Amino acid sequence: MKRKLIFGLSLLLGATAIAQDQLPTNAEPGKCYVRCTTPDVWKNETVSVQTAAAYKILKSHGPQYTTEKVTLETKAASSRLEVIPAQYENKNVTVVVQEATSRLEIVPGKTTPVKETMIIQDATSRLEVVPAQYETRYVDVVVQPASTRLEVVPAQYETRKETIVIQEATSRLEIVPAQTKAVKETMVIQEATSRLEVVPAQYETRYVDVVVQPASTRLEVVPAQYETRKETMVIQPATTRLEVVPAEWTTQTLSYNKGVRVSTLKVAPAEFANSTQTIITKPATAKWVMGDKAPDCEDTDPNACRVWCYRNIPEQSVVVSTRNLAKSASVVTVPCNGAEGNGDCIETATYTKRVLAKPATTREITIPARTKEITKTVMVKPATTRTITVPAITKKVKTTVMVKPATSREITIPARTKEITKTVITPATTREITIPARTKEITKTVMVKPATTRAITVPAITKKVKTTVMVKPATTRSIPIAARTKEITKTVVTPPTAREITIPSRSTTVKTTVMVKPATTKSIAVPAQHKTFTKTVLAKAAWTTETEVPAQHQTVTKEILVTKGGLKSWREIDCKLQENTLLPINWNLGSATLTNSAKAIIDSKLMPILNNGISIALSSHTDSRGSDSSNQRLSERRANAVVNYLISKGVNRSQLTGKGYGETRLTNRCANGVTCTEAEHRANRRTTFRVLSK
């Protein structure tokens, strides 16, 4: 018991000593101090943990086959020959024993007088001049060209405080005026042109020989010549008959591709291994914890009789299950003719086909002709005529012929000019006149910008001058002159002709056999024979489809200690901050949203206090309008809005407490049912804060 009492006294004395050691030194009367416990500053960091590795899923698809019907020729197409015998008929044939001839008889010619119009002067044309067309125009003539004159832009000066020179040496520009002089210039007021003058055509008289009766001929008959001949006549011509030689066939055994097999694909699936990964979400730390006040402590100091312990806080972690890719999926090709395959790659089969070795033909058997001998008269040389020339009769006629056609020659008309006076301007220039510097020991004027000149454009002076311009040059037009004719009489001779008088032939009738249609063969087509077989065809080779399975991740939030906290020394604060201090935020009616002006007030009023590690308590209130429950919720939302904004600015959550009081603590008379102004209601919509001592 005695030991316990001694231990309690030692604890009491130790706590008092600690409290006294921790009291601020050099405290000033009337000042307030707060003992601040700076909390550990943590920040949240999001870590992405791969719980399953990315891999590929391979799926094997075997080859796809289709069945096709293949029609193969088992017997080749051919033809067989069939003989169509010749056709004969008996006819009575008239045999000419004396061929038909003709004799020539002279038809005498005729002379006919004909009136004919003769051209004694050819049609010509004469040229007539179409004069040129002119028009008067006004032309702008520059009598004084555009120029420029120079105007002086004076220099700019400024006065400076200096000891010696009060005005530096400068220069001024003096304008040398522009010079003008009159210049004589010859101007074309009518351009040079030309006119056309007609040179008449030249004619001469000539004598022309005109045929009044053309040269002609007369005919004289030369009689035909005949002779008698013996002739053998075919009463039945030689013919042939056809005999069919049949075709020869042979048998062949052929093979065909019955089906095809290809290599297949075999998938070896991916292999996985399960594992775990431990993520430390909050590392091990420690914090100061103040014990309860001893029940028998008589000291009024709230910090007296308390024990501060720096207690360990174990680390916090989370175990994440992961699935790692041990071996990727792969594809193995299984050949069609291998140990694991399906036999031969190509399947074949045979079929029998009849093939034509030698086609059917025909052989021709000759049947000789039958003849008979007859006597006939044949014309050896036909009757002809010989031509005897009759000379032409001519007459001389006088006619006018144009030797040289009419032309035109061009006569030049010189241009007309006029002398005008125009003014030529030599532009103005400047010459620089030096101004010597002036000096003095107080101020000086410095030229900031030297004098310059600017060019002012002087427009050109023009004058309208009347001038004649040829619009269309002179041309000639051709006026036709009709030909002169004369009517003469000329004799037209119709020459004599020979008319042929037919002498009919003499004939006799002979009985003969005539082949109307020779023997032929007709080819009768024998179609090829076919047989249908089933064939397996590869429609699509074996393939694999690849599906990418992405890696799986899990997001873990862990806390990282930024600044180590602990017990700090006493700090001086404004004594008023220990009581509820108004935070002049103007809340909109029914709103818990911070405006930009409200955030600026929080930054200026609260952030300096909180940055020193001091904790504060926030209280938010509403006016009486609305129900009590809705106002309570609104005030809590307003308090949380301020707390959340401060946390977003980097303030530790342990330094902040916020509470809403609704309309329970009105500052004026504006309770439920009382009519108040908007300003009175606004006074109740308030947020306050006070400093907490720790």
Side-chain angles (χ1 to χ4, degrees):
M1 185 66 182
K2 187 176 180 180
R3 288 183 179 179
K4 290 182 179 180
L5 183 60
I6 294 171
F7 179 71
L9 288 173
S10 63
L11 284 177
L12 180 61
L13 291 173
T16 304
I18 291 172
Q20 289 175 352
D21 289 342
Q22 291 180 348
L23 288 175
T25 58
N26 301 323
E28 296 181 19
K31 298 288 185 178
C32 296
Y33 299 88
V34 62
R35 186 174 58 194
C36 300
T37 302
T38 303
D40 295 339
V41 178
W42 299 83
K43 71 174 182 179
N44 292 333
E45 186 176 275
T46 302
V47 179
S48 181
V49 181
Q50 181 176 306
T51 57
Y55 63 96
K56 294 179 181 178
I57 298 176
L58 297 177
K59 186 176 181 182
S60 170
H61 303 273
Q64 296 180 4
Y65 299 92
T66 58
T67 303
E68 290 184 357
K69 296 290 185 181
V70 180
T71 301
L72 300 176
E73 188 179 85
T74 58
K75 184 179 180 181
S78 62
S79 61
R80 61 183 178 83
L81 295 176
E82 190 175 89
V83 175
I84 301 171
Q87 297 178 13
Y88 297 90
E89 64 179 27
N90 294 325
K91 289 184 178 179
N92 290 324
V93 178
T94 301
V95 180
V96 176
V97 295
Q98 182 176 329
E99 293 179 346
T101 61
S102 61
R103 62 182 178 81
L104 294 175
E105 189 177 79
I106 300 296
V107 179
K110 297 179 182 178
T111 58
T112 308
V114 176
K115 296 286 186 181
E116 187 175 287
T117 302
M118 177 185 176
I119 297 172
I120 60 173
Q121 182 174 326
D122 291 335
T124 63
S125 61
R126 63 183 178 83
L127 294 176
E128 187 178 82
V129 175
V130 180
Q133 296 179 12
Y134 296 88
E135 68 177 26
T136 302
R137 294 178 181 170
Y138 285 93
V139 180
D140 288 331
V141 179
V142 178
V143 296
Q144 180 176 319
S147 62
T148 56
R149 64 182 177 81
L150 295 176
E151 187 178 83
V152 176
V153 179
Q156 296 179 10
Y157 298 89
E158 68 178 22
T159 303
R160 296 177 181 171
K161 292 287 184 180
E162 202 169 290
T163 307
I164 305 171
V165 180
I166 61 170
Q167 182 174 330
E168 292 182 348
T170 62
S171 61
R172 63 183 177 83
L173 294 175
E174 187 177 83
I175 295 176
V176 179
Q179 297 178 3
T180 60
K181 65 178 179 180
V183 177
K184 296 287 186 180
E185 187 176 288
T186 302
M187 176 186 174
V188 177
I189 60 174
Q190 181 173 327
E191 295 176 348
T193 61
S194 61
R195 63 182 178 81
L196 295 176
E197 190 176 78
V198 174
V199 180
Q202 296 177 13
Y203 296 88
E204 68 178 24
T205 303
R206 294 177 182 172
Y207 285 94
V208 180
D209 288 330
V210 178
V211 178
V212 294
Q213 182 176 319
S216 61
T217 59
R218 64 183 179 84
L219 295 175
E220 192 174 78
V221 175
V222 178
Q225 296 177 12
Y226 297 90
E227 66 179 22
T228 301
R229 293 177 181 172
K230 293 285 185 181
E231 191 172 294
T232 301
M233 176 187 174
V234 177
I235 60 173
Q236 182 174 331
T239 60
T240 58
R241 66 181 178 85
L242 296 176
E243 188 175 85
V244 174
V245 179
E248 296 178 8
W249 294 82
T250 185
T251 302
Q252 287 183 355
T253 301
L254 302 176
S255 64
Y256 71 96
N257 184 359
K258 185 180 180 182
V260 64
R261 292 287 184 270
V262 296
S263 301
T264 57
L265 300 176
K266 184 178 180 182
V267 173
E271 297 178 5
F272 297 90
N274 294 327
S275 179
T276 59
Q277 185 175 346
T278 303
I279 306 297
I280 298 174
T281 58
K282 188 172 183 179
T285 183
K287 70 174 182 178
W288 287 100
V289 178
M290 184 174 65
D292 294 333
K293 191 172 183 178
D296 55 350
C297 182
E298 296 178 358
D299 196 335
T300 57
D301 185 356
N303 294 314
C305 305
R306 293 178 184 268
V307 177
W308 288 85
C309 300
Y310 196 54
R311 293 181 179 172
N312 290 322
I313 300 174
E315 69 178 21
Q316 298 178 15
S317 61
V318 61
V319 178
V320 179
S321 298
T322 60
R323 191 165 179 242
N324 300 325
L325 181 66
K327 185 179 179 182
S328 298
S330 61
V331 179
V332 179
T333 302
V334 180
C336 59
N337 54 0
E340 298 181 7
N342 47 18
D344 293 337
C345 294
I346 299 175
E347 296 180 12
T348 58
T350 60
Y351 69 97
T352 303
K353 177 180 178 181
R354 288 191 69 200
V355 182
L356 182 67
K358 186 177 179 182
T361 59
T362 58
R363 62 170 171 261
E364 192 173 348
I365 301 171
T366 304
I367 301 170
R370 290 191 296 122
T371 61
K372 182 180 180 181
E373 194 177 73
I374 59 170
T375 303
K376 65 187 291 186
T377 302
V378 180
M379 182 171 62
V380 179
K381 188 177 180 183
T384 59
T385 57
R386 62 170 172 264
T387 303
I388 299 169
T389 303
V390 179
I393 300 170
T394 61
K395 183 180 179 182
K396 283 195 178 293
V397 178
K398 187 178 180 181
T399 180
T400 303
V401 180
M402 182 171 64
V403 179
K404 188 177 180 183
T407 59
S408 62
R409 66 168 172 264
E410 188 174 355
I411 300 171
T412 303
I413 302 171
R416 288 195 298 122
T417 60
K418 182 180 179 181
E419 192 175 73
I420 61 171
T421 302
K422 65 190 288 185
T423 304
V424 179
I425 298 176
T426 303
T429 60
T430 58
R431 63 169 171 262
E432 188 176 357
I433 300 172
T434 303
I435 301 171
R438 288 189 297 123
T439 60
K440 194 176 180 180
E441 287 191 358
I442 302 173
T443 58
K444 105 176 194 183
T445 303
V446 180
M447 181 172 64
V448 180
K449 188 175 179 184
T452 59
T453 57
R454 63 169 172 261
I456 300 173
T457 303
V458 180
I461 301 171
T462 60
K463 182 179 179 182
K464 285 196 180 291
V465 179
K466 187 176 181 182
T467 179
T468 304
V469 180
M470 181 171 65
V471 180
K472 188 176 179 184
T475 59
T476 58
R477 65 167 170 262
S478 177
I479 300 172
I481 301 171
R484 289 195 295 125
T485 61
K486 181 180 180 181
E487 194 176 75
I488 61 171
T489 302
K490 63 190 290 187
T491 302
V492 178
V493 178
T494 303
T497 60
R499 73 166 169 261
E500 188 175 358
I501 298 171
T502 304
I503 301 170
S505 62
R506 288 190 298 116
S507 60
T508 182
T509 302
V510 179
K511 192 174 184 180
T512 180
T513 302
V514 180
M515 184 171 61
V516 179
K517 191 175 181 183
T520 59
T521 58
K522 70 181 176 195
S523 177
I524 299 172
V526 179
Q529 295 180 11
H530 296 80
K531 187 176 180 181
T532 302
F533 298 89
T534 302
K535 177 181 178 181
T536 304
V537 181
L538 178 67
K540 188 175 181 181
W543 80 98
T544 58
T545 54
E546 184 177 291
T547 305
E548 187 81 26
V549 179
Q552 296 180 10
H553 294 80
Q554 181 178 338
T555 302
V556 178
T557 302
K558 67 177 184 178
E559 294 184 11
I560 297 175
L561 181 64
V562 179
T563 305
K564 181 68 178 175
L567 292 175
K568 300 296 181 180
S569 61
W570 292 86
R571 293 186 183 175
E572 180 185 346
I573 61 167
D574 188 352
C575 294
K576 295 179 181 179
L577 296 179
Q578 289 184 318
E579 301 174 357
N580 283 325
T581 304
L582 181 64
L583 191 63
I585 297 174
N586 292 322
W587 295 102
N588 293 325
L589 181 63
S591 173
T593 302
L594 290 172
T595 62
N596 291 333
S597 60
K599 292 177 181 178
I601 292 170
I602 295 171
D603 292 343
S604 61
K605 294 285 186 181
L606 299 183
M607 289 303 295
I609 300 172
L610 294 167
N611 287 338
N612 288 328
I614 298 173
S615 301
I616 62 171
L618 292 160
S619 302
S620 193
H621 309 270
T622 67
D623 58 27
S624 62
R625 290 177 290 185
S627 65
D628 293 351
S629 60
S630 64
N631 283 335
Q632 178 63 34
R633 291 193 297 272
L634 177 60
S635 64
E636 291 172 357
R637 291 201 306 274
R638 287 174 176 173
N640 289 332
V642 179
V643 170
N644 292 334
Y645 174 71
L646 290 169
I647 292 172
S648 70
K649 298 288 284 186
V651 177
N652 194 286
R653 182 69 178 82
S654 62
Q655 292 178 256
L656 303 170
T657 58
K659 187 175 181 181
Y661 293 92
E663 55 178 286
T664 58
R665 296 183 181 183
L666 300 176
T667 60
N668 52 31
R669 61 183 181 85
C670 298
N672 292 334
V674 179
T675 302
C676 294
T677 64
E678 182 60 33
E680 290 174 322
H681 282 304
R682 189 183 304 115
N684 290 321
R685 294 197 303 271
R686 70 196 186 279
T687 296
T688 61
F689 72 95
R690 64 183 178 85
V691 171
L692 298 177
S693 295
K694 287 189 180 179

